[in-house]
Amino acid sequence: MSLPHKSALRHRALVSAIGMVLAVVAAWHGAGTGACLADRCGTGAETARKIVIAHRGASAYLPEHTLEAASMAYAMGADFIEQDVVLTKDLVPIVLHDIYLNATTNVREVFPDRARPDRRWYAIDFALSEVKALRVNERVNPATGIVVFTGRFPVGKSKFEVPTLAEEIELILGLNKSTGRNVGIYPEIKGSAFHLREAFDIDRIVLNVLYEYGYRDADSNIFVQSFEAHCLMRLRFEFGTKLRLVQLIAGSRDYDAMVTREGLDKVATYANGIGPTTSRIMSSRGQAVDNLSLVREAQARGLVVHPYTFRAEALPSYARSLEEELRRYYFEIGVDGVFTDNPDIAHRVLQEGER
């Protein structure tokens, strides 16, 4: 199965946007019963095995979203490796956390005159060949240049580049073949609405790439995630994908409606899981947040729960170590998986828990 590809994409983007809006209205406001739709919701079997999701690869140890970070995450025992995906000017999906280039590359030095008026360098303004000319570094604050996590890989050392989505998929599938393991991918479509406003249909383009590499149905070893409900609804209703979809849920008020019973009922009509920020589940002091017992309520609707983000250098006050925090989430709260910068630690916690 293949969707129409590059030649007509930009001309059809605005028409697709209209379809997107209609899908949102029909699916979000029309799902009144709370029942899961056939082939669209998680099953009990999906929650049986807890998983480790490498957040941007092994990003605690190597610059995020590089092939090196993905390789290290694979070697550390991750079950899934995350790929945040944005587009280049020539419609190539690349693995980059932001729609901007200036937090994790040297774009400011290589292309000093290519920023927009807001002083940001947008990936969508650069061809793939130009992106490949950049060097990836550990994340810094774009305004100050100060490294976000000071104990991580030193900025300016070694040489890393921005991979395409296809390159990372080929790496993981290749490792699956050579090792006999079956590690999955967990792409996040970034800025779906932004790309549509720029007349680029990232939802359709990313889905094409996934189909080309054999990720086609509910049994494929993949979750596709987004913070934007309209993106997931387009994938499900407009494009008819059977892939497992995960609705990300941030801590801002914009997402409060999603963690109500009615909101979870609606999410369950188009998604197979939720990815809430940890603050939606536990306070930094270790107190349960009163979101209708979010994990239990979501799982009762067949939704897997994969909270984010677990980091050894960003612990809540109630945990003395990342191991302690992970044990609480995996075995006391009962989440189905976690996004972590430290996949080795999460893998070890699960192994010890199983023993």
Side-chain angles (χ1 to χ4, degrees):
M1 179 167 62
S2 179
L3 298 170
H5 205 34
K6 292 182 180 178
S7 61
L9 284 173
R10 296 196 67 177
H11 297 286
R12 297 179 60 179
L14 295 180
V15 175
S16 295
I18 295 174
M20 170 196 73
V21 173
L22 293 176
V24 170
V25 173
W28 185 257
H29 294 289
T33 65
C36 292
L37 300 183
D39 299 323
R40 291 178 184 158
C41 294
T43 66
E46 289 181 10
T47 65
R49 187 177 71 88
K50 297 181 184 297
I51 62 172
V52 176
I53 307 154
H55 182 244
R56 310 180 200 172
S59 54
Y61 310 103
L62 284 165
E64 66 185 54
H65 285 322
T66 58
L67 293 183
E68 290 84 355
S71 298
M72 191 168 192
Y74 194 105
M76 286 178 163
D79 300 294
F80 288 82
I81 300 173
E82 182 192 36
Q83 302 80 32
D84 294 319
V85 184
V86 302
L87 290 182
T88 63
K89 182 170 62 176
D90 42 354
L91 305 181
V92 179
I94 57 174
V95 182
L96 188 75
H97 178 260
D98 308 303
I99 60 174
Y100 321 111
L101 290 159
N102 39 309
T104 55
T105 78
N106 63 339
V107 67
R108 185 188 300 267
E109 289 73 36
V110 179
F111 299 105
D113 301 324
R114 296 280 293 279
R116 292 193 182 186
D118 61 5
R119 299 303 300 161
R120 289 171 169 169
W121 283 255
Y122 287 73
I124 205 169
D125 293 335
F126 292 82
L128 178 62
S129 60
E130 295 173 317
V131 172
K132 286 294 188 180
L134 305 176
R135 294 181 64 168
V136 173
N137 52 257
E138 181 61 40
R139 176 170 290 274
V140 300
N141 182 319
T144 64
I146 297 174
V147 178
V148 175
F149 296 104
T150 56
R152 295 191 176 183
F153 200 93
V155 173
K157 302 299 182 181
S158 194
K159 185 177 181 180
F160 307 95
E161 69 175 37
V162 177
T164 67
L165 176 60
E167 287 170 344
E168 185 151 330
I169 290 174
E170 289 178 1
L171 171 70
I172 294 169
L173 291 179
L175 286 170
N176 282 344
K177 182 175 181 179
S178 62
T179 66
R181 294 177 62 201
N182 187 25
V183 172
I185 64 173
Y186 209 126
E188 178 189 343
I189 297 177
K190 304 290 289 192
S192 174
F194 163 79
H195 283 89
L196 279 173
R197 288 194 299 271
E198 300 279 325
F200 289 82
D201 194 346
I202 188 173
D203 306 339
R204 184 186 296 272
I205 294 171
V206 170
L207 197 58
N208 268 332
V209 172
L210 299 178
Y211 285 174
E212 288 168 6
Y213 282 95
Y215 299 98
R216 295 172 178 270
D217 53 47
D219 295 326
S220 297
N221 204 20
I222 181 176
F223 291 94
V224 180
Q225 58 179 328
S226 177
F227 281 101
E228 299 171 76
H230 69 80
C231 168
L232 299 177
M233 290 181 183
R234 289 193 75 209
L235 296 178
R236 184 68 78 209
F237 302 123
E238 184 177 340
F239 302 140
T241 189
K242 301 297 183 182
L243 297 178
R244 292 177 294 178
L245 307 180
V246 171
Q247 173 67 62
L248 296 172
I249 300 176
S252 66
R253 291 184 177 181
D254 293 340
Y255 292 86
D256 285 351
M258 283 188 181
V259 299
T260 65
R261 290 192 178 96
E262 181 184 19
L264 289 171
D265 286 344
K266 292 175 180 179
V267 169
T269 65
Y270 62 86
N272 304 86
I274 60 170
T277 180
T278 55
S279 65
R280 290 285 183 182
I281 299 173
M282 295 283 288
S283 73
S284 62
R285 296 182 178 181
Q287 299 170 323
V289 177
D290 185 16
N291 278 333
L292 302 171
S293 301
L294 179 58
V295 175
R296 186 184 70 249
E297 292 283 352
Q299 291 172 342
R301 289 158 173 78
L303 298 168
V304 296
V305 181
H306 298 158
Y308 69 91
T309 304
F310 295 82
R311 298 182 171 102
E313 64 266 80
L315 297 173
S317 60
Y318 65 83
R320 292 167 295 181
S321 66
L322 180 57
E323 289 89 342
E324 181 180 345
E325 184 185 16
L326 289 168
R327 282 194 292 269
R328 174 169 287 197
Y329 272 83
Y330 274 134
F331 305 123
E332 295 179 25
I333 299 172
V335 300
D336 303 290
V338 302
F339 286 88
T340 178
D341 293 5
N342 305 83
D344 54 332
I345 296 176
H347 178 66
R348 184 171 68 249
V349 166
L350 278 183
Q351 284 188 316
E352 292 171 351
E354 291 169 357
R355 288 197 296 267

